[in-house]
């Protein structure tokens, strides 16, 4: 049978594309190499890490803040097995949720590795599937180092770090990016000594510079150690030799987490068979309508350029489905937020101050510290700040950067503002409930015009 | 010694010009061949250069109308000018005009990148829609009509008044042309250093159809009908001063690559203001493409003394019936406006049908069918 659309990959790009295709009346199949649906995000990414971050944050908060809040607990301890079980239950619930959604939308699903055979067909374990249009949503995989063979037990990627059977005494994290600091935080809260080795001279390179510096200070106070401008030159088991400004030293650990980034995953997909040539870095080139060099084959998510984020993949999944159905969607990439789920959280949307200056834009910056926010004071979550970047000439919001509690939720206001091309005064003039953390956003907007009330 | 500055001739039919811009103020020192002022005629803009070095005297000001050949100032080669009073900063000529209209694409990108966001923000704000019904109309900005605009206005009304203009329509399935462009784009760019656009297909197909229907390649001259022996097709180019129509000559003998290169060169010249009158004169037929701005269907107006003009439009995916099946095809409406005094309905319709066939199956062009 000929499908209208076949989606390869069931991550947040692929499964969302499949559902939107089905909603638009297209006969759709989704192929997944793993037995569980949901891709990296659901199985070994966003979801399990947030489950672990929540459990450990709860423990951490009770340990450090209960007494000050007048809450008296007996002796406090944790059970890592239980924590992992809870995480597993959450993931499983979502796996079943996608299966249910596929059934509800009458989407066929198939387990196995897809290999393209023509612009409109591929095989899955010897079975041939034909479809008028094919969407590649095969995602990405962790980048590894040649001298650090991953066993996912002692030398792990994010995948292994999400399922450690016990809390390591010492953990070395190579790469102080978003994934590294999140997972480092998990084990630090449970008592690990967590040490980062970062090649660059700063942590989380996609974040705004001043936000990243303030963030690093907070993490250091929590006990995380950062070796910046430091390169791992060799390894023997879990003992690393690192080099900083020409001087070598060794660092020992019980578990080494390699979190130096991710690369597109297209192994066994047979791109060469249909004449699609990936870029040097392995990305699949597409045009403005997500079409690869083969017009019937589209690609979305981590296998194409742009930030490797689940919600970016989902937006692209929806857009590509609508394009195939003859509609004219568009995605405002500037309005795609990114979040670090540490405590406090960091969230950002739009341009950083550095990016805006690099683009030659004349900008105005406003900031507001949570220390001066009444709700943050009440909850004891007064670390961090809101930083807003505006275009001087038009007052358009160019970037919003939040370091602080619930930044992941607060950032949505910035996303809407950028999507709707709002000005900073639009935000400043919008009523915000009192007392809430969101007032800090309003105050930062006022501060762009030197009108902040509580600063 | 004083050397007079005269208004240069700007082509046979031009008798006067308007001073549109003073580049060097009266009293300043100029070097030989330095730009002094800019004149605007009803065809093109022209810069007047210093005939010698010395102190400049100008006896005209901006917006003065001057006759060709008249003296508008002088350069005194013996007197020394004041230390060149800097003229008010003037915007660079049309080189700094808005970017060219987007290449004709059927579909817009779904991926709006941060660079697009910033570019859109920096672009001048689009005209705000008229405010809702005010009790009395209020006068907004008032400015002089440019020479070019005035000429355009007069000519358009003249066409309406003096010809028997009618428009006939047809539609073209663009699938094959789009497939050829997709397939051969890389080879074409490698060979000619320019992209294979839609226009070369239309120019070549029009040249073929004009050969088949000579009446369309004709004009009325008094009591006589003059049929052209060459196929010189004007292609309308939009500039911020109005529409200009440079002429591609001998289109029947040009390759697709030649056509694309000539159009690009003309567009560049038109926008930089360096187009000459010769480039604009003597076409026998015109193509205008409202599709680049999104026009679905329109009735183009004749470019006198020509007898016909073809209007291209945007390419839209439409449901069409093919072999009793409803299929999706990229379709374009074609409009041929013609002077019915000279061209019969039958000829105009068959001209468009001929065009349609060749565009839907460009191999026919190769075989001269």
């Amino acid at each position: 049978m000929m499908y209208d659309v076949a989606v390869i990959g069931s991550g947040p790009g692929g499964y969302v594309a499949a559902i939107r295709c089905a909603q638009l009346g297209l006969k759709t199949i989704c192929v997944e190499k793993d037995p569980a649906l949901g891709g990296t995000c659901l199985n070994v990414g966003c979801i399990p890490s947030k489950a672990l971050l929540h459990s450990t944050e709860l423990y951490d908060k009770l340990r450090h803040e209960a007494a000050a809040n007048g809450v008296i607990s007996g002796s406090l301890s944790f059970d890592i097995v239980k924590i992992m079980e809870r995480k597993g239950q959450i993931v499983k619930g979502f796996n079943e949720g996608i299966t249910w959604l596929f059934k509800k939308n009458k989407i066929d699903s198939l387990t196995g590795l897809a290999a393209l055979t023509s612009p409109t067909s591929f095989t899955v374990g010897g079975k041939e599937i034909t479809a008028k249009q094919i969407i590649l949503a095969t995602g990405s995989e962790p980048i590894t180092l040649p001298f650090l063979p991953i066993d996912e037990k002692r030398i792990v990627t994010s995948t292994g770090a999400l399922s450690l059977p016990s809390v390591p005494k010492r953990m070395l994290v190579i790469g102080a990016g978003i994934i590294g600091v999140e997972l480092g935080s998990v084990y630090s809260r449970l008592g690990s000594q967590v040490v980062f080795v970062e090649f660059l001279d700063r942590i989380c390179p996609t974040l705004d510079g001043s936000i990243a510096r303030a963030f690093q200070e907070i993490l250091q106070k929590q006990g995380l150690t950062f070796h910046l401008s430091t390169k791992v030159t060799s390894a023997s088991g879990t003992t690393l030799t690192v080099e900083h400004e020409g001087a070598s030293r060794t660092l020992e650990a019980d578990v080494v987490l390699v979190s130096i980034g991710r690369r597109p995953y297209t192994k066994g997909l047979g791109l060469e068979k249909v004449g699609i040539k990936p870029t040097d870095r392995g990305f699949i080139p597409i045009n403005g309508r997500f079409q690869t060099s083969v017009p019937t084959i589209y690609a979305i998510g981590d296998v194409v350029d742009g930030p490797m984020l689940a919600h970016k993949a989902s937006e692209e999944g929806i857009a590509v489905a609508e394009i195939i159905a003859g509609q004219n969607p568009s995605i405002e990439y500037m309005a795609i937020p990114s979040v670090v789920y540490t405590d406090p959280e960091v969230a950002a949307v739009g341009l950083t101050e550095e990016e805006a200056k690099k683009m030659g834009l004349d900008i105005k910056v406003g900031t507001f510290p949570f220390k001066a926010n009444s709700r943050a004071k009440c909850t004891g979550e007064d670390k961090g700040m809101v930083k807003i970047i505006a275009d001087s000439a038009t007052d358009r919001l160019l970037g919003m950067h939040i370091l602080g509690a619930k930044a992941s939720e607060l950032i949505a206001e910035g996303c809407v503002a950028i999507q709707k091309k709002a000005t900073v005064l639009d935000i400043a003039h919008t009523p915000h409930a009192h007392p809430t953390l969101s007032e800090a956003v309003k105050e930062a907007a006022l501060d762009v015009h030197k009108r902040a009330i509580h600063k | 010694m004083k050397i007079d500055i005269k208004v240069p001739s700007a082509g046979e039919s031009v008798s006067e010009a308007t001073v549109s811009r003073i580049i060097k103020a009266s009293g300043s020192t100029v070097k030989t061949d330095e730009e002094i002022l800019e004149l605007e005629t009803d065809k093109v803009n022209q810069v007047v250069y210093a005939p010698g070095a010395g102190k400049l005297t100008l006896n005209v000001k901006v917006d003065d109308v001057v006759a060709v050949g008249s003296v508008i100032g002088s350069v005194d080669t013996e007197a020394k000018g004041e230390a060149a009073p800097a003229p008010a900063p003037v915007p660079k000529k049309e080189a700094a005009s808005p970017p060219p209209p987007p290449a004709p694409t059927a579909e817009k990108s779904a991926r709006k990148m941060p660079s697009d966001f910033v570019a859109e923000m920096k672009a001048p704000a689009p005209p705000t829609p008229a405010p809702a019904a005010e009790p009395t109309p209020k006068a907004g900005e008032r400015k002089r009509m440019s020479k070019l605009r005035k000429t355009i206005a007069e000519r358009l009304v003249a066409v309406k008044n003096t010809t028997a203009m009618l428009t006939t329509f047809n539609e073209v399935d663009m699938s094959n042309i789009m497939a050829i462009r997709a397939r051969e784009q890389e080879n074409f760019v490698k060979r000619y250093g320019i992209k294979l656009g839609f226009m070369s297909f239309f120019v070549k197909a029009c040249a073929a159809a004009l050969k088949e229907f000579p009446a369309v390649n004709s004009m009325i001259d008094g009591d006589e009908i003059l049929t052209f022996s060459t196929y010189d097709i004007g292609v309308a180019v939009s500039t911020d001063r109005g529409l200009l129509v440079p002429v591609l000559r001998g289109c029947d003998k040009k390759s697709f690559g030649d056509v694309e290169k000539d159009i690009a060169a003309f567009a560049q010249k038109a926008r930089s203001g360096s187009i000459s009158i010769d480039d604009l004169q003597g076409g026998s037929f015109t193509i205008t493409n409202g599709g680049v701005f999104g026009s679905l269907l329109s009735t183009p107006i004749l470019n006198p003394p020509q007898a016909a003009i073809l209007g291209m439009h945007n390419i839209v995916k439409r449901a069409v019936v093919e072999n009793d099946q409803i299929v999706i095809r990229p379709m374009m409406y074609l409009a041929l406006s013609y002077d019915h005094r000279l061209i019969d309905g039958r000829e105009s319709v068959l001209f468009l049908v001929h065009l349609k066939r060749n565009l839907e199956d460009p191999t026919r062009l190769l075989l001269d069918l």
Side-chain angles (χ1 to χ4, degrees), chain A residues 192-424:
Chain A
S192 297
Q193 233 180 51
V194 178
V195 175
F196 289 85
V197 181
E198 169 59 53
F199 179 72
L200 298 175
D201 61 355
R202 53 169 294 179
I203 69 167
C204 299
T206 54
L207 295 182
D208 181 88
S210 64
I211 293 279
R213 277 191 298 278
F215 181 41
Q216 188 186 338
E217 273 171 34
I218 293 173
L219 292 177
Q220 279 167 341
K221 276 190 195 139
Q222 293 174 358
L224 303 176
T225 307
F226 293 95
H227 296 299
L228 302 183
S229 304
T230 303
K231 193 180 160 186
V232 181
T233 52
S234 65
S236 156
T238 52
T239 302
L240 304 185
T241 307
V242 301
E243 197 185 294
H244 172 68
E245 288 173 358
S248 274
R249 62 185 287 194
T250 57
L251 296 171
E252 289 179 14
D254 303 301
V255 168
V256 175
L257 164 59
V258 182
S259 57
I260 51 175
R262 301 180 63 85
R263 62 176 164 224
Y265 181 81
T266 54
K267 216 162 36 194
L269 188 54
L271 292 179
E272 63 290 342
K273 188 96 186 202
V274 290
I276 295 174
K277 241 178 96 188
T279 66
D280 295 344
R281 294 175 56 211
F283 290 101
I284 298 178
I286 51 168
N287 64 16
R289 315 271 296 174
F290 303 99
Q291 258 170 329
T292 65
S293 55
V294 179
T296 51
I297 302 181
Y298 298 75
I300 57 163
D302 288 2
V303 280
V304 302
D305 64 311
M308 289 189 173
L309 295 168
H311 47 278
K312 175 253 193 189
S314 296
E315 293 298 338
E316 292 182 336
I318 290 170
V320 76
E322 292 176 352
I323 286 170
I324 288 172
Q327 300 183 0
N328 234 338
S330 76
I331 299 175
E332 190 68 73
Y333 281 76
M334 181 95 159
I336 296 176
S338 75
V339 176
V340 194
Y341 292 86
T342 42
D343 178 28
E345 296 178 340
V346 192
V349 65
L351 304 178
T352 64
E353 187 172 344
E354 294 80 14
E355 285 168 342
K357 285 185 175 157
K358 215 169 148 190
M359 290 173 101
L361 294 168
D362 183 15
I363 56 167
K364 280 197 216 161
V365 176
T367 58
F368 192 81
F370 281 108
K371 243 194 287 265
N373 173 274
S374 44
R375 183 75 190 282
K377 278 286 178 201
C378 296
T379 58
E381 298 170 310
D382 61 353
K383 290 188 198 72
M385 60 168 160
V386 178
K387 174 172 176 179
I388 281 180
I389 294 163
D391 180 57
S392 295
T394 61
D395 194 44
R396 281 263 194 92
L397 177 65
L398 290 176
M400 188 183 286
H401 305 274
I402 306 175
L403 167 64
K406 313 220 168 31
S408 57
E409 309 292 341
L410 294 173
I411 200 67
E413 179 171 4
C415 302
V416 173
I418 288 182
Q419 175 81 24
K420 298 309 292 177
K421 304 192 163 61
T423 65
V424 167

Side-chain angles (χ1 to χ4, degrees), chain B residues 206-218 227 231 343 346-355:
Chain B
C206 282
L210 289 171
K211 268 193 178 170
E212 194 73 19
F213 301 95
V216 184
N217 201 36
S218 302
T227 300
Y231 302 92
I343 302 170
R346 179 182 164 276
E347 279 169 318
S348 67
V349 171
L350 289 178
F351 177 91
L352 262 192
V353 169
H354 190 275
L355 204 55

Side-chain angles (χ1 to χ4, degrees), chain A residues 288-289 305 316 331 333, chain B residues 108-112 120-121:
Chain A
R289 315 271 296 174
D305 64 311
E316 292 182 336
I331 299 175
Y333 281 76
Chain B
K108 70 176 173 64
S109 172
R111 310 188 86 210
K112 288 153 78 184
E120 184 268 341
M121 182 179 76

